Amino acid sequence: MIQLKTEAMIAQARVFDHPLCDMGFATDEALAELLDRYPEDLFDINLYDFDDEGQARLRTGVRGRASGEALLEAIKQGRLWVNMRDVQIVHPELWAAAEAAFAQIEASFPGLRAVKKAGQLILSSPAARVPYHFDAAGVTLFHLRGKKRVFVYPADEAHLSERSMEAVVARQTTEEVPYLRRFEDDARVIDLEPGQALIWPLYAPHRVENLDRFCVSLSMDFQTWGTRLRNGALYTNAVLRSRGALPRPTTAMSSPEMLARWAASLALKRTGALKSRIRDIPRDFEPVAGVRDGAAALDASKA
């Protein structure tokens, strides 16, 4: 089966060395300059609140009018997680270096071939945490600054249900998925230092904690033909489920059935079969240094 063959290529999380830290991409000066010129519509500024059971509530913010230097200071002082999307377009120098490093990592997994890649530069506060979630793609995390702890969990039905995957792929919910404290017994824990890159099994749920330091990482998402086909099948299943059907799990599909579901997803997306529920998430803060969590309440007129 296409999806099983593809996902078996990366059997477990692995750490590699990379040279990006020596190229000056993560200095305060370079980051402040980048923040000044980065397109506002490519910023995701998030803050997560957690309860005693590790369940998260997402708050989102806006870029605001702060200078790059002031924005960087707010991130350093607060509890923010800032994703700067489409690095491959906005920062070609960093992207070229990352692609060269990824080529060496990719070569370590016989049969692995990324057919599409995209990147986001992640700037995160010393106390920032990202909840249990999954990415509908392969991920290589190039760590550039600070110290980060990553928890990687098995990519099976017990830790990540197909129904949850469908909802994320179809943009009916954000990437956060149901989490139970007992999952910690099954986690592999990796501490990342600058100059290290982490790759984990495709679709494996994971969460992240910064270890009391401001952190900078480049997250490279990559698609294989296997993940593209499975994502299409998951989208089609989400549409079928929204119409009251009980679709067959993708893990039980033959290759022809997977291809058919993927082809169906192309038509369904063109017709807008499912409207995204995450496009218009309310925003309620902007980064400001010196205030609690680095997040100042946003005037409703700016939201």
Side-chain angles (χ1 to χ4, degrees):
M1 286 193 244
I2 294 172
Q3 83 282 7
L4 295 180
K5 179 181 177 183
T6 301
E7 291 161 32
M9 291 176 185
I10 307 171
Q12 62 182 1
R14 289 180 58 184
V15 175
F16 295 82
D17 292 332
H18 71 77
L20 277 64
C21 290
D22 300 328
M23 301 179 185
F25 296 121
T27 65
D28 281 0
E29 295 75 17
L31 294 173
E33 185 276 331
L34 184 63
L35 287 166
D36 272 329
R37 64 179 174 85
Y38 220 86
E40 184 174 356
D41 62 336
L42 296 180
F43 275 86
D44 293 322
I45 301 180
N46 300 326
L47 194 159
Y48 293 97
D49 297 313
F50 293 83
D51 65 19
D52 292 340
E53 294 302 314
Q55 305 300 318
R57 181 177 71 89
L58 170 66
R59 295 170 55 196
T60 61
V62 299
R63 163 66 173 82
R65 298 182 180 180
S67 67
E69 184 177 358
L71 179 55
L72 182 63
E73 196 60 31
I75 301 169
K76 284 184 174 183
Q77 293 180 10
R79 198 162 52 83
L80 305 176
W81 192 274
V82 178
N83 297 332
M84 301 158 70
R85 290 178 277 112
D86 285 349
V87 169
Q88 70 277 10
I89 297 172
V90 183
H91 199 335
E93 299 85 3
L94 173 57
W95 188 247
E99 283 206 295
F102 177 77
Q104 297 184 24
I105 295 172
E106 185 180 34
S108 301
F109 299 94
L112 180 64
R113 180 170 176 265
V115 296
K116 185 178 181 180
K117 298 189 290 291
Q120 55 187 3
L121 189 64
I122 302 170
L123 311 185
S124 50
S125 302
R129 298 161 58 194
V130 171
Y132 188 82
H133 70 286
F134 97 104
D135 299 284
V139 177
T140 301
L141 187 67
F142 295 92
H143 197 45
L144 302 173
R145 183 169 170 180
K147 191 170 183 179
K148 188 178 294 264
R149 179 166 292 165
V150 184
F151 301 75
V152 181
Y153 305 81
D156 56 24
E157 183 70 16
H159 296 85
L160 176 64
S161 71
E162 280 255 334
R163 190 162 188 163
S164 294
M165 295 174 75
E166 292 169 12
V168 172
V169 169
R171 299 179 68 79
Q172 300 303 289
T173 183
T174 55
E175 294 173 343
E176 292 78 44
V177 292
Y179 167 79
L180 298 172
R181 283 286 188 191
R182 59 179 171 81
F183 290 171
E184 296 309 307
D185 293 338
D186 305 316
R188 182 176 176 197
V189 183
I190 302 103
D191 286 353
L192 279 185
E193 300 278 358
Q196 293 182 317
L198 176 65
I199 188 170
W200 52 79
L202 304 179
Y203 296 109
H206 49 281
R207 64 182 186 88
V208 184
E209 297 179 357
N210 286 353
L211 299 179
D212 296 323
R213 301 180 197 177
F214 167 67
C215 286
V216 180
S217 302
L218 172 66
S219 177
M220 178 184 286
D221 300 342
F222 63 90
Q223 298 286 352
T224 67
W225 267 112
T227 61
R228 293 186 73 178
L229 294 175
R230 189 178 184 192
N231 289 347
L234 287 165
Y235 183 89
T236 297
N237 279 2
V239 175
L240 292 172
R241 197 180 298 279
S242 74
R243 299 334 189 233
L246 295 175
R248 181 204 297 269
T250 57
T251 50
M253 290 181 184
S254 64
S255 294
E257 186 177 7
M258 181 84 72
L259 286 165
R261 293 290 172 99
W262 169 73
S265 75
L266 302 180
L268 290 168
K269 290 176 182 178
R270 281 197 298 270
T271 59
L274 279 178
K275 182 181 179 181
S276 171
R277 293 183 178 178
I278 65 173
R279 185 177 301 164
D280 300 316
I281 296 177
R283 303 174 187 276
D284 66 6
F285 72 87
E286 62 180 315
V288 175
V291 303
R292 182 178 178 181
D293 297 330
L298 188 63
D299 186 322
S301 64
K302 300 180 183 178

